[in-house]
Amino acid sequence: MSAVLVAVLLSLVSAVAYAAAAVAQERLASRTSGAGTLRLLGSGAWWWAVALNASAALLHVVALTFGPLTVVQPLGALTLVAAVPMGARMAGRPVSGIEWRGTAFTLAGLAAVLVTASGPAPDDVLGVPEALVLAGGTACLIGMLSWPGSRPGLRHASASGVASGVASALTQTVTVAVTDRSGPLLGVQVVVVALLVAAFAAGGLLLSQTAYRGGLGAPLAVVTLTNPLTAAVIGLSLLGERFRDGPAGVLLALTGAALASWGVLLLSRATPRPAGAPVAPAAPQPLAPLAAVPAARPPVEGRRVAGVPLPETRPAADRRPRDTAA
């Protein structure tokens, strides 16, 4: 079994674990909207989500030892694909047609990216100065995205995706440096970068918890897009990773990324109402104007209805006694 195939299989299991963690975080956020960090630390559901994220992260770390960032990170988009049926199951509803279409586009795009990004196992690492510069720039960007303003959910989701993508890139540096065995196991490079990984991973987790207060679909879609995009930029610009087949490979990768992005957007738009959720009362409809009803005509004296003579309806003053026969 090739190293790239091992990386793909580990990434698939990691994506399922991340999806389960995202669903758990979204359900927790819907129940504890506005709760502080200390209250979350006292919740068993929060620690269950943390355990799922930690397991997924561990699988992700192992996958990065076998495959490059350009292979492992795009597979993170499968988190959204797995979260869709999980979320539907938890909400007690079927998966909608738009969700199936989004899943199909996402899988097709990922297949195109994987064909062009199937490179050798990673061997480049970031030095301590490069890692610190990268961490400083990322911290500034996260601070700008987390600044109070409009659409906080999507901005926090973007910040979470950036933090997770940088953590993955730094994780590859740690794993390659540890498995290379050319230097001390706990050298300055490994320790410093490992601390940065822990900081960005924890920050990404807390930012995603804040983002999920507005729902699961759109924030998770933003995280799913920004995470591999950030890691891919770092891998291509700093770690020497390349696409296969030259310009044709780059064109195919861009096409696959566009398809996957469209699929993620479709999935983010599919936000049906969960089963059992209260239905908003319908707006009262204005009453239609009553049709003009013609006034009843007084019966004419001497008319009969069904053989019964109708009473006289003339005023009493106008009534005159009838002549009777002598």
Side-chain angles (χ1 to χ4, degrees):
M1 184 179 296
S2 66
V4 173
L5 182 57
V6 173
V8 169
L9 293 177
L10 290 173
S11 298
L12 292 177
V13 181
S14 175
V16 174
Y18 272 128
V23 173
Q25 283 185 264
E26 188 272 336
R27 291 178 64 83
L28 176 62
S30 64
R31 296 196 304 266
T32 59
S33 179
T37 304
L38 293 179
R39 184 177 177 182
L40 289 176
L41 294 178
S43 172
W46 162 256
W47 289 110
W48 170 245
V50 170
L52 287 172
N53 274 296
S55 302
L58 180 61
L59 292 170
H60 187 78
V61 169
V62 178
L64 285 172
T65 63
F66 292 97
L69 278 172
T70 49
V71 171
V72 175
Q73 287 303 118
L75 288 172
L78 292 177
T79 297
L80 185 61
V81 176
V84 167
M86 285 185 184
R89 176 77 175 179
M90 296 296 293
R93 60 170 180 82
V95 181
S96 64
I98 190 173
E99 290 173 322
W100 285 124
R101 291 194 298 274
T103 301
F105 276 111
T106 302
L107 292 176
L110 286 175
V113 172
L114 288 176
V115 168
T116 59
S118 301
D123 55 4
D124 291 340
V125 296
L126 294 175
V128 174
E130 294 174 321
L132 291 176
V133 171
L134 176 62
T138 304
C140 293
L141 178 58
I142 291 175
M144 293 173 58
L145 291 173
S146 303
W147 196 262
S150 61
R151 304 182 70 85
L154 296 183
R155 289 190 293 103
H156 282 84
S158 301
S160 174
V162 170
S164 300
V166 172
S168 296
L170 295 175
T171 297
Q172 178 169 302
T173 292
V174 173
T175 56
V176 172
V178 169
T179 57
D180 183 58
R181 298 179 181 177
S182 59
L185 182 62
L186 296 179
V188 175
Q189 180 188 31
V190 174
V191 173
V192 171
V193 177
L195 291 176
L196 293 176
V197 169
F200 282 114
L205 180 62
L206 292 175
L207 287 167
S208 64
Q209 182 67 45
T210 303
Y212 292 149
R213 292 175 181 174
L216 180 65
L220 183 56
V222 173
V223 172
T224 304
L225 284 174
T226 54
N227 187 333
L229 178 61
T230 302
V233 169
I234 296 174
L236 293 172
S237 60
L238 299 178
L239 296 177
E241 297 181 2
R242 296 290 182 269
F243 289 111
R244 293 170 50 182
D245 301 328
V250 173
L251 180 60
L252 182 59
L254 292 176
T255 303
L259 287 175
S261 300
W262 178 246
V264 169
L265 289 176
L266 287 178
L267 289 172
S268 69
R269 294 174 183 173
T271 55
R273 181 179 61 87
V279 181
Q285 299 295 329
L287 296 176
L290 295 176
V293 179
R297 296 176 59 185
V300 180
E301 182 181 356
R303 293 184 58 185
R304 294 173 176 268
V305 176
V308 179
L310 295 175
E312 297 182 2
T313 58
R314 292 181 301 170
D318 296 340
R319 294 179 186 173
R320 297 177 181 175
R322 297 181 179 178
D323 297 333
T324 55

